[in-house]
Amino acid sequence: MRKVLSILWIAIVFLVGCSHANTQLELDHRGYVIEKNLEYTSSQDEDAVVKNIILLIGDGMGANQVEVARQILLQEDEGFDFDKAEYKAEVITSCLDNYVTDSAAAATAFATGVKTNYETVGKDKDGNDLKTILDYAKEAGMKTGIITDKGLNDATPAAFSVHLNNRYLLQDTIPTQQIESGIDIFIGGGAATYIDYEEAIKAEGYDFITTKEGLFSTKADRILATYSSGRLMNHTTDVPTLAEMTNKAINVLAKNKKGFFLMVEAGQIDNRCGEGNIKEMAKSVQELDKALRVALNFARSNQETLVVVLADHETGGLILGDGEPDISWFTEETRYHTPVNVPLYAYGTRSSFFANKIIDNTEVFEILMEFLKLR
Ligand SMILES: [Zn+2]
């Protein structure tokens, strides 16, 4: 009898272990996670608790990028979850010393609430370190995570985790600053850089992961997973998708009773606009859309989660022309950033706050801080 019980116990432990480790997504034919929780009952009351925030950033994603992607994807019978936004707003993008911002200063505004200079991450104009929303969240016992499909040392993830007067100078200090930041999860590109820091990463208690399977199977609560040698994560079957990375992070972070803050960047929209490649740009928007579906699925079952999608700036001066979209639809001479306002989409708890507002990029920080009752 004792033997039977112990076998039964081993079987139970094994099954629980497997279900915990199994973070594979159930996908439909288009690669979208199959939605399980369609009922929204998230509260819009002023005193409603926002326990978790998932902030998704489309790098270079102006309103026209979203519209062109919508037209292309719907024509191809693909899904598009931006349309499910409950409330929409506009964000003013300029940085302190330039009307046209770069990704670093823009992400610093979201992360810290302070307008800073072009190419600066996590510091003010005088070079002082700025406290990020992740720092405040950690102090309140929340868990934190950063995801990108560019390098983890690129501008947006850096603005949420390090402090540098210029994102291109002292770049080799970015991994060191990140692993000493206390942030629980980093998933993104830049493996060629981060592999050199493997020992230091492990010494800080992170599970250092370089394979897709490793990410799916790890049971660690602190993860630094990194892929692809170049600046952009290659979208091959060997690396996780933005949606898979988002799903894994949510599974780990949501175990925390005091909530979490997760930033997810779809970084390649900016690059595809820079190349003038509209079809690939639409695919990059779709990667963000698939990650959004994962976030919404969680938000609906959790009911204490706010999901916000926005952009740091527009790239390329994209217009909506007639007929087939092509490179001539990008009107900015060098297909670089432009200063137009960018769209913000909000879903879930307290999302109605954003309805029809025009907000500065620094106000995003203030609003999210207030929702999380971090001050
Ligand atoms: Zn950018």
Side-chain angles (χ1 to χ4, degrees):
M1 183 65 183
R2 189 173 289 172
K3 197 176 173 190
V4 172
L5 278 176
S6 68
I7 289 170
L8 195 64
W9 177 239
I10 289 166
I12 288 169
V13 168
F14 180 74
L15 283 172
V16 169
C18 283
S19 67
H20 174 68
N22 181 14
T23 58
Q24 299 273 20
L25 295 169
E26 251 188 273
L27 304 175
D28 65 17
H29 68 285
R30 302 156 309 158
Y32 276 82
V33 63
I34 295 167
E35 289 178 287
K36 298 250 168 71
N37 312 292
L38 293 169
E39 291 301 316
Y40 248 137
T41 54
S42 307
S43 175
Q44 302 298 340
D45 291 347
E46 267 183 37
D47 50 359
V49 177
V50 178
K51 191 172 153 192
N52 313 303
I53 289 182
I54 305 170
L55 177 67
L56 300 107
I57 302 177
D59 191 343
M61 188 180 71
N64 290 349
Q65 274 78 356
V66 176
E67 186 52 33
V68 171
R70 185 204 322 275
Q71 296 302 336
I72 291 173
L73 296 169
L74 292 182
Q75 232 173 44
E76 294 172 0
D77 196 25
E78 296 282 350
F80 207 67
D81 275 9
F82 282 94
D83 288 340
K84 292 178 184 165
E86 295 177 301
Y87 301 99
K88 290 181 188 169
E90 274 182 34
V91 180
I92 299 165
T93 65
S94 65
C95 66
L96 189 65
D97 58 349
N98 223 12
Y99 186 35
V100 179
T101 191
D102 82 318
S103 305
T108 299
F110 299 146
T112 71
V114 174
K115 268 209 196 295
T116 195
N117 290 336
Y118 203 78
E119 295 183 346
T120 301
V121 284
K123 280 186 183 274
D124 68 14
K125 64 178 175 31
D126 300 317
N128 301 307
D129 286 5
L130 297 167
K131 214 163 154 180
T132 69
I133 191 167
L134 284 80
D135 293 326
Y136 288 102
K138 279 178 290 170
E139 284 173 9
M142 296 172 70
K143 295 285 181 189
T144 52
I146 289 177
I147 292 174
T148 182
D149 61 1
K150 276 188 182 166
L152 283 168
N153 53 352
D154 216 280
T156 305
F160 281 82
S161 56
V162 309
H163 310 279
L164 283 174
N165 284 318
N166 188 299
R167 59 185 276 207
Y168 297 113
L169 299 177
L170 302 173
Q171 222 186 11
D172 55 348
T173 66
I174 291 178
T176 309
Q177 287 195 44
Q178 285 176 327
I179 57 183
E180 290 171 357
S181 66
I183 293 167
D184 300 285
I185 294 182
F186 290 98
I187 313 173
T193 299
Y194 285 82
I195 204 106
D196 292 342
Y197 297 83
E198 182 171 355
E199 288 314 310
I201 290 165
K202 286 177 175 167
E204 288 291 338
Y206 289 94
D207 191 359
F208 181 68
I209 295 167
T210 54
T211 65
K212 183 171 158 178
E213 283 314 310
L215 181 65
F216 291 162
S217 63
T218 184
K219 292 173 188 167
D221 292 333
R222 282 196 124 193
I223 296 167
L224 193 150
T226 181
Y227 305 89
S228 305
S229 55
R231 189 172 169 219
L232 308 184
M233 261 176 84
N234 316 315
H235 289 304
T236 67
T237 52
D238 293 338
V239 300
T241 64
L242 202 64
E244 287 169 335
M245 298 192 278
T246 303
N247 183 56
K248 178 65 187 191
I250 290 173
N251 282 346
V252 175
L253 299 173
K255 286 189 283 179
N256 185 39
K257 288 190 169 58
K258 290 187 171 174
F260 67 84
F261 180 93
L262 174 63
M263 190 285 289
V264 179
E265 183 201 22
Q268 304 193 15
I269 300 164
D270 178 62
N271 302 80
R272 301 310 169 211
C273 290
E275 293 162 1
N277 192 332
I278 289 190
K279 283 258 175 197
E280 285 300 312
M281 182 276 290
K283 278 188 197 163
S284 298
V285 174
Q286 189 181 34
E287 289 303 303
L288 178 61
D289 198 42
K290 288 176 180 174
L292 171 60
R293 172 78 66 94
V294 172
L296 292 183
N297 210 36
F298 171 77
R300 289 180 191 126
S301 64
N302 174 269
Q303 303 292 341
E304 290 180 316
T305 299
L306 170 69
V307 179
V308 174
V309 183
L310 47 63
D312 51 354
H313 52 77
E314 194 270 350
T315 300
L318 184 66
I319 55 156
L320 300 176
D322 200 10
E324 279 295 300
D326 69 26
I327 194 166
S328 69
W329 289 20
F330 290 102
T331 58
E332 204 286 327
E333 211 174 328
T334 58
R335 290 193 300 278
Y336 189 61
H337 307 168
T338 71
V340 296
N341 290 359
V342 288
L344 178 152
Y345 307 83
Y347 316 72
T349 309
R350 297 295 314 268
S351 55
S352 65
F353 178 87
F354 292 98
N356 302 321
K357 284 197 169 66
I358 298 177
I359 57 176
D360 188 68
N361 52 10
T362 55
E363 288 179 280
V364 173
F365 168 85
E366 303 295 341
I367 294 163
L368 300 186
M369 284 286 288
E370 197 183 313
F371 284 180
L372 291 171
K373 299 191 172 34
L374 292 176
R375 63 167 169 205

